[in-house]
Amino acid sequence: MNLARVHRSINHIANAYQQKLHTFREDHFQLAPPMGGWSYSEVYSHIFDASLLSLIAMNNCIRNEGENKPTALGVKLVLFFGQLPPGKRYKVPKRMADRVKKISLANAQQFITDFELQLAKLYPQVDGANPKIKTKHPRLGYLNARQWLRFIEIHLNHHLKQLKRIERNFLQHA
């Protein structure tokens, strides 16, 4: 895995979230889409909260505060191909779903800023992390620091597509 490419991609995707954020009015940001499910606000809440938690897990790997556990083959394939298997809906684990809340545009901006600052601080240390030291992801099992970085990229991208689906749904019902 090319860490520099993954890092650039994450920054590019975070920038896309930032740009999209500037297109919302506060009331529309909070509004649930006609198809049901999360509002834009809740997607931002989830994705940046989860990304910050992923950075904590990645940092634990960097600090050798993890376990020497295998990564499942299916997870390695997801990380290799850079996407979750198509056509399958993924339910957020309950403890993560319980963290999702409606946030303001200002809160979303702060989440993005906090994520970018933490990523900038941790990224230079990823390459030196022991690849055998892993921490547990709630759905994917054990990931090392490099795998956490790749997961962040995949997860950010997955929810960016969700924002586009929500936007299409609003347009269809306008």
Side-chain angles (χ1 to χ4, degrees):
M1 166 186 344
N2 182 325
L3 289 179
R5 188 214 54 81
V6 172
H7 184 243
R8 280 191 307 274
S9 176
I10 290 170
N11 285 326
H12 178 76
I13 297 166
N15 187 51
Y17 277 96
Q18 182 105 265
Q19 295 303 314
K20 189 165 249 343
L21 190 63
H22 296 303
T23 68
F24 298 120
R25 290 185 337 264
E26 190 73 51
D27 60 332
H28 190 62
F29 190 60
Q30 306 290 330
L31 191 62
M35 67 184 175
W38 285 347
S39 65
Y40 292 118
S41 169
E42 291 162 312
V43 173
Y44 273 80
S45 169
H46 166 70
I47 192 58
F48 286 100
D49 181 47
S51 294
L52 286 163
L53 291 172
S54 295
L55 288 175
I56 291 168
M58 187 174 81
N59 190 38
N60 288 340
C61 293
I62 290 167
R63 293 190 334 238
N64 286 317
E65 295 174 4
E67 302 177 57
N68 185 353
K69 299 270 191 172
T71 300
L73 177 61
V75 174
K76 287 180 182 180
L77 291 172
V78 165
L79 296 171
F80 177 78
F81 287 110
Q83 65 181 17
L84 301 170
K88 186 174 180 191
R89 297 288 308 231
Y90 294 90
K91 191 154 176 78
V92 176
K94 179 162 176 24
R95 72 173 185 210
M96 290 302 295
D98 290 345
R99 294 174 64 94
V100 174
K101 57 185 180 266
K102 289 191 177 187
I103 59 174
S104 68
L105 289 167
N107 293 138
Q109 179 60 58
Q110 189 60 53
F111 253 146
I112 295 169
T113 300
D114 292 348
F115 169 73
E116 290 173 330
L117 289 171
Q118 286 301 311
L119 178 65
K121 179 178 147 189
L122 293 175
Y123 168 70
Q125 302 171 62
V126 172
D127 196 36
N130 182 341
K132 293 181 180 179
I133 299 298
K134 301 175 184 176
T135 55
K136 193 169 189 332
H137 180 278
R139 285 271 192 252
L140 301 178
Y142 287 87
L143 304 176
N144 66 29
R146 296 170 77 93
Q147 292 168 328
W148 274 107
L149 189 71
R150 179 71 163 138
F151 168 74
I152 291 167
E153 176 193 25
I154 293 166
H155 193 226
L156 281 167
N157 206 34
H158 172 75
H159 284 288
L160 191 58
K161 291 175 188 174
Q162 181 184 12
L163 291 177
K164 291 174 185 173
R165 285 192 307 273
I166 294 170
E167 184 175 8
R168 281 193 306 272
N169 188 250
F170 275 120
L171 291 172
Q172 288 172 348
H173 291 87

